[in-house]
Amino acid sequence: MTTAVPRSLRESEVRQDVREFLASEPVRAELERLSLLPPGEEPGHSEIFQLLGERGWLAVNWPREYGGLGLRAVDAATVAEELALAGVPDVAHVLSVDIVGLFLLMAGTQEQKARHLPPLARGESIATVLYSEPGVGSDLGSLRTTADREGNGWRITGRKIYSQKSQFASHGLCAARTTDEHGTGISLFMIDMMAPGVRVSPIWNATEERFDDVSLDVWVAHQDVIGPVHAGFDVLNTVLALERTGIDYQGRVRRWFDAIRDMAQRTGLAEDEKLRGRIAALDTKIRAGRLMAYEAVAAIDAEAVDPVASARSKWFNTELAAEVVELGLDVGGLMSAVTRWDGEPAWRETLESMYRESPNLTLSAGTSEVMLKVIAALGLGLEG
């Protein structure tokens, strides 16, 4: 049953409703189940996503016809922030709704939207992103995966790496080269991840969730091209600015910081004057990061997307993670070495897991170096 939320509902009311939902027994039970997953396992189709989908809260700012509530970007940001603060695994939500869903809303046909968006909004399926390639990194203009005309569709061949949740995904949004021109000539395709010619292999890494190596030799129908052929690079740049508000990163960093501060208070370390000042200063920076994130979100609602504001928020909030983890190591001492393998704190909540996860925040959705380049070029007018 879908809960109807009127457009006039204030942000504070949305936040309160979501908090009450996240505190409910079904959600707490599912979070407990996830916390007990053995090392090496990770959540895919979590029941929490389906519960959120029933309420229209996975895609709050999507039109109702596609499973949303027709609210604002700030309402969607409020939900995303609360999910992060509650420790709900958010990678599948970010990939499916905030990235792939946003591409479809902006550039998809009516048929594509009707086919793909409702299952994503209901939390019934997961979509992944197929951008990065070996030796390419964040330079999407240098992609080598190709899409060649074949019959009434395209033959896509290449290899994508460092994608997440591809082992659970029903579809992947793939960027492939349709001309030989560097930088341009990129097109976007919706690929059936179960189709013959799609092979997904794990890339094990230091974080709690694996990356994937995806090999492609697959035929895709022409109706699965997202947006105009050869114009995917422009769409990518537009959507990336919308994606980089920093809300989800900010919420995660705040959750880590609050846990570390609570540990300092429980152990009496917070009474140390130097450490108390350090905690207060870092708290202030996190609050500033939150304001930056909501500034970027407000620009979306005003239909005045600011890529500089988005890049600034993404850079600032993800770089804060290292400072928070450094504080945690000093507060935790030997406890900082405790892992889930030791049967101690819950999934993603050990200081050791925060330490392993923090570098990933500065890499996803564009590296810190790319963010600084955007700020320098577009914000300060610097070249080179």
Side-chain angles (χ1 to χ4, degrees), residues 11 14-15 60-61 71-79 294 297-298 301:
E11 181 262 347
V14 173
R15 190 176 299 279
V60 176
N61 57 329
L71 298 179
R72 304 164 299 165
V74 70
D75 299 307
T78 297
V79 175
Y294 274 99
V297 172
D301 276 329

Side-chain angles (χ1 to χ4, degrees), residues 97-119:
V97 175
D98 296 342
I99 301 179
V100 176
L102 184 56
F103 271 103
L104 287 165
L105 282 171
M106 287 190 60
T109 65
Q110 292 301 315
E111 186 277 331
Q112 290 168 340
K113 294 175 185 177
R115 176 158 45 111
H116 294 294
L117 291 179

